[in-house]
Amino acid sequence: MSSVVPFVDLSIVVPAYNEEHRIAPTLARLSAYLSSQAMRWEIVVVDDGSRDATCAVVEAAMARIPGLRLVRQTPNRGKGAAVRLGMREARGQIRVMSDADGSMPPEQLPRLLAPILAGRAQIAIGSRYAEGAHADVEQPWWRVAWSRLANRVIQRSLVPGVQDTQCGFKAFTAEAAGALFGVGRIDGWAFDLEILALARRTGFAIAEVGVEWTDDRRSRVHPLQDMWKVMRETITIRRNLKRGVYRALPAAA
């Protein structure tokens, strides 16, 4: 049996936890868009120990979508752990993380990938606040307040200058993904912050790209509870950086 790994231009990593109702439309839209592009692609769904029918829904979709793979993580560990596993399992020269709720239309991929394809950056992050960003509907005031407050805390402590660290639409070269997700440790909400802070420390160039996105009213964000989690994990990241926990992190080429 051949052990040759197929060459893939683009991997889309989709973390999923109890997403039986939202994952199928997201996968259908992603595959329809990717199939119209002149590239070799894959979609890697990482199930984070779901207790519903998420895996069954993805497995059914695999019969219709040849480029779809399912990776299982048990027990539930958190979005950060799921994305980290997906990035390690992905085979693409560029690897994109995208949320299961489909809030980021796949038609925004060219805009996100442009800085990487042009050689200006190894990491591109979608932004809801950078120039060119647009939402289909106005976000609830509490979502905006939570996002901006979290970002203010984060900018001062870890990644100054990045307007939107929490948007779940980020792209990495294979080199950057391997280096950063290979040493990341945060399993929860603040895993994005850890990855971006490590990218800054190692010299990977980051481009922030304003994107058009859809607000999902079924969001699972809990402002007070999640703010505390982000702050607690931010403290952990700062402590890890000071203690040299990430010694194995290689410098950017």
Side-chain angles (χ1 to χ4, degrees):
M1 181 180 294
S2 174
S3 60
V4 176
V5 177
F7 182 89
V8 177
D9 296 301
L10 179 67
S11 297
I12 308 293
V13 175
V14 183
Y17 176 64
N18 293 342
E19 292 287 0
E20 64 177 353
H21 299 298
R22 301 195 293 187
I23 191 73
T26 296
L27 295 177
R29 189 171 182 182
L30 271 172
S31 63
Y33 175 80
L34 292 171
S35 296
S36 69
Q37 306 301 304
M39 68 175 76
R40 287 156 290 191
W41 55 271
E42 66 175 357
I43 303 171
V44 182
V45 175
V46 183
D47 180 74
D48 186 22
S50 294
R51 294 173 290 180
D52 65 359
T54 296
C55 286
V57 171
V58 175
E59 287 171 342
M62 289 168 64
R64 304 184 300 273
I65 304 173
L68 176 60
R69 293 196 287 140
L70 173 64
V71 177
R72 299 191 187 209
Q73 171 174 273
T74 56
N76 171 259
R77 291 181 56 193
K79 183 178 180 181
V83 172
R84 197 160 56 243
L85 176 58
M87 287 290 177
R88 294 200 303 266
E89 290 285 334
R91 302 172 296 202
Q93 297 304 295
I94 299 178
R95 302 172 189 183
V96 175
M97 54 172 276
S98 186
D99 288 340
D101 61 7
S103 58
M104 200 60 58
E107 292 77 13
Q108 293 299 298
L109 276 168
R111 183 179 295 186
L112 180 71
L113 300 181
I116 294 178
L117 295 176
R120 300 196 306 270
Q122 291 84 47
I123 300 169
I125 60 176
S127 175
R128 295 161 293 185
Y129 308 111
E131 182 179 357
H134 176 73
D136 62 338
V137 295
E138 187 175 352
Q139 275 190 301
W141 68 268
W142 57 268
R143 287 280 305 275
V144 176
W146 181 88
S147 178
R148 302 316 292 155
L149 179 58
N151 186 257
R152 180 164 296 186
V153 173
I154 292 159
Q155 277 208 38
R156 291 182 177 179
S157 57
L158 287 175
V159 283
V162 177
Q163 298 181 65
D164 189 0
T165 55
Q166 300 306 105
C167 180
F169 194 50
K170 296 180 174 67
F172 303 81
T173 63
E175 177 195 10
L180 300 173
F181 288 97
V183 299
R185 295 183 172 218
I186 298 298
D187 290 342
W189 280 96
F191 81 96
D192 307 71
L193 315 182
E194 179 183 52
I195 294 301
L196 294 178
L198 293 175
R200 281 279 178 82
R201 171 162 288 205
T202 53
F204 286 111
I206 302 171
E208 190 167 8
V209 181
V211 290
E212 298 181 7
W213 51 282
T214 301
D215 183 49
D216 191 332
R217 297 296 184 179
R218 297 168 294 177
S219 171
R220 296 172 180 173
V221 172
H222 303 285
L224 294 179
Q225 179 181 342
D226 294 335
M227 172 61 75
W228 167 243
K229 290 180 182 178
V230 169
M231 292 179 67
R232 183 178 59 197
E233 290 172 345
T234 298
I235 293 170
T236 299
I237 296 167
R238 286 173 57 86
R239 185 185 303 123
N240 287 346
L241 289 168
K242 289 181 179 179
R243 293 178 177 176
V245 168
Y246 309 105
R247 289 192 187 94
L249 186 70

